[in-house]
């Protein structure tokens, strides 16, 4: 990393949150210049500088004041907005569903979404998330080294988007795309008991791109017109050029002389759910017993203390507020399913990889899943979950992907995606379409 880039990052880190867009662009330009200089000098980019930097501790910002539970619906309809333009997103999708949220580009986490509110067509607004952001991208290589932690100053690696990068949408501060995207059939019902009916669904999509070493990460949240939320990360850009032995990689290029090293991308998200306010949110785990049997039985476990959980074939979780009910009288909740993870499990020094979902009580200084920058908090999410009683639960989701390079990855590398889905459960009494 060049001296000028170190100075840019150090000054911006002291600011805590990104200022004008040109600060980010300057940092990106300096990083790009350093990369281009390395290429010109024929330096092999085995250890990109962006991975190797150990970042200074940065104090966490104070938490904003919550809206009282009884005033949520009124606050959503009031003229006063929770954030100002261009950081406010308010989009009504073709079926009448409405999503309202705020965004900011934080120095540490990068794109962060806050104050997320969903309004199904013909229903009242429901607050869903106080905040959500990436919490780490852990990249261990199959040979045992290197082992990167790519998030620590992610905001400073945001790249300016072109119009073609945000089709049909708008670019906010040049680095964030807000657009609407078709998602296929919302439903299709044949006319066996009445008229045939079908509808196409749509998503509100918010994303930003970040250049970390040779990778370009796409951090995306899709908010569907049926109330579902899909956070995911796409990895594209270029292969790192890290070569290895046949046992740890795959032959790239002509013949079998060069083996590009395989590696994992273990992506962590932090989700602070607030269903109509802070109070009343509870996390439940659901399992279904019975294998090779005719019957299956539901088992519900209420998590009253901080916990670590593993994926199972039929396991899922939900955040429920029993004080908030739909028209059928059922408590409103959001279901979380993380069944697509590669479930990487690292050595003893990477205990944070040994669970797929962590549930912790809210603490403002617990910001990243690893290399947490706040000195008054533990350094990783496995140490946050220490059995404290849950009063304001925060979920940390770990989704792994094992990247075995192939010839088609060069160059540019096609995007490979990893993520999970959050689905409304009993938010409305029937299909809101």
């Amino acid at each position: 990393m060049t001296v000028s880039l170190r100075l840019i990052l150090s000054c911006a880190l002291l600011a805590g949150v990104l200022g004008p867009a040109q600060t980010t662009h300057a940092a990106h330009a300096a990083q790009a210049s350093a990369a281009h200089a390395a290429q010109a000098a024929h330096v092999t980019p085995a250890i990109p500088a962006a991975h190797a930097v150990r970042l200074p501790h940065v104090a966490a910002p104070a938490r904003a004041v919550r809206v009282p539970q009884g005033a949520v619906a009124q606050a959503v309809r009031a003229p006063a907005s929770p954030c100002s333009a261009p950081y406010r997103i308010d989009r009504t999708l073709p079926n009448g569903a409405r999503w309202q949220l705020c965004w900011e580009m934080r120095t540490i986490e990068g794109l962060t979404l806050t104050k997320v509110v969903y309004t199904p067509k013909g229903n009242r607004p429901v607050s869903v998330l106080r905040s959500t952001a990436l919490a780490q991208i852990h990249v261990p290589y199959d040979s045992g080294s290197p082992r990167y932690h790519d998030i620590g100053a992610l905001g400073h690696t945001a790249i300016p988007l072109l119009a073609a990068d945000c089709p049909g949408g708008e670019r906010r501060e040049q680095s964030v795309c807000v657009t609407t995207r078709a998602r296929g059939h919302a439903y299709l019902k044949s006319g066996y008991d009445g008229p045939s009916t079908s509808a196409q669904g749509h998503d509100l999509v918010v994303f930003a791109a970040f250049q970390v070493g040779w990778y370009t990460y796409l951090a995306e949240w899709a908010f569907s017109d049926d109330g579902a939320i899909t956070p995911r990360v796409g990895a594209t850009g270029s292969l790192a050029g890290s070569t290895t032995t046949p046992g740890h990689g795959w032959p790239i290029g002509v013949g079998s002389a060069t083996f590009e090293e395989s590696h994992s991308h273990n992506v962590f998200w932090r989700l602070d759910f607030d269903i109509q306010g802070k109070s009343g949110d509870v996390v439940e785990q659901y399992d279904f017993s019975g294998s090779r049997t005719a019957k299956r039985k539901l088992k519900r476990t209420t998590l009253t203390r901080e916990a670590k959980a593993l994926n199972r074939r039929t396991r899922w979780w939900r955040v429920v507020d029993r004080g908030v009910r739909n028209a059928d009288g059922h408590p409103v909740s959001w279901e979380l399913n993380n069944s697509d993870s590669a479930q990487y499990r690292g050595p003893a020094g990477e205990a944070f990889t040994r669970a797929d979902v962590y549930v912790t009580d809210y603490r403002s200084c617990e910001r990243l899943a690893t290399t947490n920058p706040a000195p008054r908090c533990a350094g990783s999410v496995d140490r946050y979950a220490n059995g404290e009683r849950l009063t304001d639960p925060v979920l940390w989701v770990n989704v792994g992907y094992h990247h075995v390079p192939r010839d088609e990855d060069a160059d540019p590398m096609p995007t490979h995606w990893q993520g999970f889905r959050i689905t409304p459960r009993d938010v409305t009494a029937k299909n809101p379409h």
Side-chain angles (χ1 to χ4, degrees):
M1 178 179 286
T2 64
V3 173
S4 60
L5 177 56
R6 289 182 184 274
L7 289 174
I8 290 168
L9 289 178
S10 299
C11 293
L13 279 166
L14 291 174
V17 177
L18 283 181
Q22 59 265 28
T23 304
T24 303
H25 301 158
H28 169 63
Q31 184 185 42
S33 296
H36 294 156
Q39 286 179 307
H42 303 289
V43 177
T44 301
I47 305 179
H51 289 286
V53 175
R54 180 72 178 185
L55 298 164
H57 291 155
V58 179
R63 199 177 196 194
V65 178
R66 292 180 180 272
V67 178
Q69 183 172 346
V72 168
Q74 173 108 16
V76 170
R77 299 189 185 99
S81 300
C83 51
S84 60
Y87 306 103
R88 180 178 67 254
I89 299 172
D90 188 338
R91 183 67 55 90
T92 298
L93 295 170
N95 79 330
R98 182 184 185 187
W99 285 98
Q100 297 163 283
L101 57 143
C102 303
W103 72 269
E104 56 187 277
M105 189 64 76
R106 292 184 180 174
T107 300
I108 293 173
E109 298 95 337
L111 179 61
T112 302
L113 306 181
T114 63
K115 303 178 179 68
V116 178
V117 175
Y118 167 59
T119 306
K121 181 181 179 180
N123 289 266
R124 63 173 179 165
V126 182
S127 62
V128 185
L129 288 161
R130 181 163 196 83
S131 67
T132 179
L134 287 173
Q136 193 53 266
I137 303 176
H138 172 237
V139 189
Y141 278 70
D142 282 15
S143 65
S145 178
R147 312 182 76 79
Y148 299 131
H149 299 257
D150 280 345
I151 295 182
L154 191 64
H156 287 296
T157 68
I159 63 176
L161 300 173
L162 304 176
D165 302 327
C166 188
E170 54 182 313
R171 290 169 289 163
R172 304 285 184 93
E173 300 288 292
Q174 299 207 16
S175 60
V176 175
C177 173
V178 180
T179 190
T180 301
R181 185 171 63 198
R183 64 177 179 89
H185 278 97
Y187 59 85
L188 189 158
K189 182 179 178 181
S190 69
Y192 71 93
D193 62 349
S196 297
T197 180
S198 69
Q200 294 294 304
H202 295 83
D203 292 339
L204 162 66
V205 179
V206 183
F207 79 87
F210 303 90
Q211 191 66 42
V212 181
W214 299 97
Y215 270 98
T216 305
Y217 289 121
L218 307 177
E220 178 186 286
W221 283 262
F223 299 89
S224 297
D225 53 12
D226 62 358
I229 304 171
T230 306
R232 62 177 188 164
V233 165
T236 180
S238 299
L239 292 171
S242 178
T243 57
T244 186
T245 60
H248 300 303
W250 194 266
I252 297 295
V254 178
S256 299
T258 302
F259 288 79
E260 182 81 21
E261 188 164 354
S262 303
H263 52 279
S264 293
H265 292 262
N266 304 313
V267 181
F268 291 79
W269 286 262
R270 179 185 182 277
L271 303 113
D272 182 4
F273 282 88
D274 277 355
I275 301 175
Q276 298 297 62
K278 170 185 174 180
S279 62
D281 291 348
V282 174
V283 180
E284 297 174 341
Q285 177 177 290
Y286 286 83
D287 292 279
F288 291 81
S289 63
S291 178
R292 301 181 183 181
T293 60
K295 294 183 178 180
R296 308 189 81 176
K297 186 176 181 181
L298 180 150
K299 178 185 177 182
R300 180 178 66 199
T301 304
T302 300
L303 304 181
T304 59
R305 295 187 177 275
E306 295 178 325
K308 309 169 186 179
L310 302 176
N311 286 335
R312 294 286 184 267
R313 285 292 183 188
T314 57
R315 173 174 288 176
W316 47 270
W317 300 265
R318 74 166 180 167
V319 180
V320 58
D321 189 328
R322 297 193 174 278
V324 182
R325 304 271 172 158
N326 68 9
D328 284 342
H330 298 147
V332 167
S333 66
W334 262 265
E335 174 186 328
L336 188 152
N337 188 302
N338 184 21
S339 60
D340 291 335
S341 174
Q343 295 182 268
Y344 173 86
R345 302 292 184 248
E350 295 173 349
F352 54 85
T353 64
R354 296 187 175 183
D356 303 298
V357 173
Y358 291 88
V359 183
T360 65
D361 207 43
Y362 175 85
R363 293 188 72 190
S364 62
C365 61
E366 293 175 350
R367 299 179 65 174
L368 296 184
T370 75
T371 62
N372 189 51
R376 64 184 183 278
C377 263
S380 57
V381 66
D382 55 298
R383 296 173 61 196
Y384 306 158
N386 57 12
E388 292 180 18
R389 182 170 293 278
L390 291 170
T391 60
D392 185 5
V394 173
L395 273 68
W396 307 73
V397 181
N398 170 19
V399 180
Y401 173 83
H402 188 225
H403 184 191
V404 180
R406 54 189 179 134
D407 280 339
E408 290 87 347
D409 284 342
D411 187 87
M413 181 174 64
T415 307
H416 55 78
W417 292 96
Q418 58 198 100
F420 61 102
R421 190 166 172 83
I422 304 165
T423 307
R425 177 167 288 276
D426 304 334
V427 173
T428 56
K430 61 181 182 178
N431 186 342
H433 269 271

